[in-house]
């Protein structure tokens, strides 16, 4: 653990003591993530390549003998309490629904849980596309499992699936599986290649000599929801039209770019463009994995730039803010490549940067992005970090 991480833990222990007048026994930690490449491929049964960040959501807790879960959320300065036998949607504290949803999904999978007293605190920016929500879910899942002495009752993939189920069906947010997977299964110095159809996964060594610099545009993502649903429908339409000549396909994952070019005339231009993004993006994910294996950072950067161009021109999910952020990154000394990351329309962009050049890229962002957009951004530098874990505080 780094010094700043230890300091944060100590601050949170003090906070727990203030709130509960006793020390916490245990802390669970689950990171946020950034997707290196593979955008809008998950719901097309395709491939994604996320990395866990050194920013996380933490739950410090003590086990209780009864069925009550009592939580204080530091960043919201708010308490929530619920009974494991009587879960109902919390209209007052939205964040509490992630915790309840996870408890519900774990119990549905046969785990016998017990109550906890806990505090929650995270330094993953909330609502910026770095998946503070998955960090919260996985941290809570591990806390509840550890409190009940059931930490080994489910493998990581199942914890991730339970958390996704909770977000989809208890919280009511339509998310894929990537965020929960990487938060649970991430590993220091690695990216995680996930096959969103089979849910097979593979750790991919992330080259030493490279850092991730993330620029938060701080711009509104208000368009993202409706556009997301529209893009999904357009992909389904593309599959339906292509099935007339490619009867074996069930998702764009099954289509190669040669096939798409051959049958281009079957598709209205806009559907063709959407399909072209997804099909080429899946190919770029595999090419990125190959380039990482060779340590070819220049090629990874080129693929990231191509991904951004495809998201901007074919999938049209970029924005002025994201383009300004990516331009500032791509033009900076030491940047191999950069792209928007997440659903688009706002949120963050990610750059692959030569180690030692992080500050140059950060300075270029502050200087150029703030001038272009008149918004003060945030910049985070992160190595590829470890996934969720539980720390004994006694
Ligand atoms: P993202 O996952 O991109 O950060 P979401 O909108 O999916 O954005 O999730 C953000 C929500 O997750 C917050 O509004 C809050 O309800 C919950 N959350 C995230 N971090 C925390 C935290 N530290 N404490 C309490 N709730 C949190
Ligand atoms: Mg989220």
């Amino acid at each position: 653990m780094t010094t700043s991480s230890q300091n944060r833990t100590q601050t949170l222990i003090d906070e727990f003591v203030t709130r509960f007048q006793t020390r916490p026994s245990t802390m669970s930690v689950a990171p946020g993530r950034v997707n290196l490449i593979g955008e809008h491929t998950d719901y097309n049964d395709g491939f994604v390549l996320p990395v866990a960040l050194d920013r996380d959501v933490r739950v410090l807790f003590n086990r209780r003998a009864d069925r009550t879960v009592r939580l204080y959320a530091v960043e919201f300065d708010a308490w929530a309490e619920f009974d494991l036998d009587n879960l109902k949607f919390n209209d007052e504290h939205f964040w509490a629904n992630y915790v309840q949803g996870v408890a519900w999904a774990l119990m549905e999978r046969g785990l016998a849980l017990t109550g906890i007293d806990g505090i929650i605190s995270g330094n993953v920016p909330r609502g910026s596309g770095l998946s503070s929500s998955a960090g919260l879910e996985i941290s809570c899942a591990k806390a509840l499992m550890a409190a009940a002495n059931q930490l080994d009752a489910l493998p990581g993939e199942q914890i991730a699936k339970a958390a996704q189920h909770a977000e989809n069906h208890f919280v009511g947010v339509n998310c894929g599986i990537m965020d929960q997977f990487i938060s649970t299964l991430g590993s220091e110095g690695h990216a995680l290649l996930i096959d969103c159809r089979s849910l097979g996964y593979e750790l991919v060594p992330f080259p030493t000599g490279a850092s991730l610099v993330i620029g938060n545009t701080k711009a509104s993502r208000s368009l993202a929801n409706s556009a997301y649903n529209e893009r999904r429908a357009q992909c389904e339409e593309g599959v339906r039209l292509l099935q007339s000549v490619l009867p074996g396909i069930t998702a764009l994952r099954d289509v190669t770019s040669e096939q798409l070019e051959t049958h281009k005339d079957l598709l209205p231009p806009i559907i063709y463009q959407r399909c072209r993004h997804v099909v080429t993006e899946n190919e770029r994910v595999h090419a990125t994995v190959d380039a990482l294996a060779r340590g070819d950072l220049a090629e990874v950067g080129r693929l990231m730039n191509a991904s951004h161009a495809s998201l901007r021109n074919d999938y049209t999910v970029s924005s002025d803010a994201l383009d300004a952020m990516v331009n500032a990154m791509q033009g900076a000394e030491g940047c191999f490549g950069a792209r928007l990351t997440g659903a688009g329309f706002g949120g963050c962009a990610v750059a692959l940067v030569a180690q030692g050049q992080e500050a140059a890229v950060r300075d270029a962002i502050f200087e150029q992005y703030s001038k272009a957009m008149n918004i003060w951004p945030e910049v985070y530098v992160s190595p590829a970090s470890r996934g969720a874990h539980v720390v004994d505080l006694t």
Side-chain angles (χ1 to χ4, degrees), residues 372-391:
M373 296 305 299
N374 212 10
I375 304 175
W376 196 245
E378 283 180 9
V379 179
Y380 325 110
V381 178
S382 180
S385 303
R386 72 187 289 203
H389 53 281
V390 172
V391 182

Side-chain angles (χ1 to χ4, degrees), residues 212-264:
L212 296 168
V213 175
I214 295 159
N216 186 346
T217 61
K218 298 291 210 84
S220 153
R221 291 198 291 171
S222 56
L223 272 172
N225 257 342
S226 55
Y228 178 86
N229 293 330
E230 187 192 55
R231 298 299 180 283
R232 280 189 84 137
Q234 288 169 330
C235 291
E236 282 164 24
E237 175 71 356
V239 171
R240 200 182 60 74
L241 292 169
L242 288 167
Q243 275 170 338
S244 64
V245 287
L246 301 168
I249 66 168
T250 57
L252 288 178
R253 140 75 173 273
D254 301 312
V255 180
T256 65
S257 42
E258 291 78 35
Q259 288 172 324
L260 184 63
E261 290 311 307
T262 307
H263 304 299
K264 180 177 176 176

Side-chain angles (χ1 to χ4, degrees), residues 62-338:
N62 280 326
R63 171 202 169 95
R64 288 173 62 112
D66 62 11
R67 309 274 294 159
T68 299
V69 174
R70 254 192 108 209
L71 296 166
Y72 176 73
V74 174
E75 284 74 34
F76 289 86
D77 185 21
W79 287 91
E81 183 174 320
F82 62 88
D83 178 344
L84 286 167
D85 298 314
N86 184 21
L87 301 175
K88 40 183 191 294
F89 195 86
N90 189 327
D91 292 309
E92 194 189 347
H93 298 299
F94 192 76
W95 57 268
N97 294 307
Y98 292 93
V99 195
Q100 295 196 82
V102 163
W104 166 73
L106 291 175
M107 291 191 291
E108 214 185 29
R109 281 164 175 72
L111 270 72
L113 298 182
T114 176
I116 58 171
D117 285 334
I119 66 167
I120 297 170
S121 179
N123 64 358
V124 185
R126 289 173 293 285
S128 295
L130 301 180
S131 211
S132 66
S133 57
L136 176 61
E137 288 154 18
I138 300 302
S139 195
C140 289
K142 291 254 172 178
L144 290 166
M145 291 172 78
N149 274 322
Q150 304 244 24
L151 212 43
D152 300 321
L154 289 178
E157 304 91 283
Q158 290 301 324
I159 300 173
K161 282 175 93 166
Q164 182 204 17
H165 191 72
E167 186 160 343
N168 290 167
H169 299 290
F170 196 97
V171 183
V173 174
N174 184 8
C175 63
I177 189 67
M178 165 168 68
D179 303 354
Q180 293 81 7
F181 245 69
I182 179 66
S183 186
T184 310
L185 297 165
S187 168
E188 197 177 337
H190 291 82
L192 187 72
L193 174 66
I194 306 169
D195 178 337
C196 296
R197 171 176 281 166
S198 69
L199 297 187
Y201 59 90
E202 186 187 321
L203 285 169
V204 176
F206 189 82
T208 51
S211 292
L212 296 168
V213 175
I214 295 159
N216 186 346
T217 61
K218 298 291 210 84
S220 153
R221 291 198 291 171
S222 56
L223 272 172
N225 257 342
S226 55
Y228 178 86
N229 293 330
E230 187 192 55
R231 298 299 180 283
R232 280 189 84 137
Q234 288 169 330
C235 291
E236 282 164 24
E237 175 71 356
V239 171
R240 200 182 60 74
L241 292 169
L242 288 167
Q243 275 170 338
S244 64
V245 287
L246 301 168
I249 66 168
T250 57
L252 288 178
R253 140 75 173 273
D254 301 312
V255 180
T256 65
S257 42
E258 291 78 35
Q259 288 172 324
L260 184 63
E261 290 311 307
T262 307
H263 304 299
K264 180 177 176 176
D265 294 344
L266 286 176
L267 306 175
I270 193 151
I271 303 288
Y272 165 70
Q273 267 180 269
R274 304 300 190 240
C275 293
R276 184 167 62 179
H277 166 70
V278 173
V279 167
T280 59
E281 184 78 354
N282 274 323
E283 292 170 352
R284 280 188 290 271
V285 174
H286 293 297
T288 301
V289 170
D290 292 345
L292 286 171
R294 297 193 306 270
D296 187 348
L297 295 174
E299 176 65 6
V300 175
R302 199 194 60 75
L303 290 160
M304 289 171 76
N305 292 344
S307 171
H308 185 76
S310 176
L311 287 159
R312 183 188 57 216
N313 302 332
D314 275 352
Y315 223 60
T316 60
V317 293
S318 192
S319 64
D320 289 346
L322 282 165
D323 286 344
M325 180 64 73
V326 167
N327 280 340
M329 289 168 152
Q330 287 175 345
E333 180 88 22
C335 176
F336 294 109

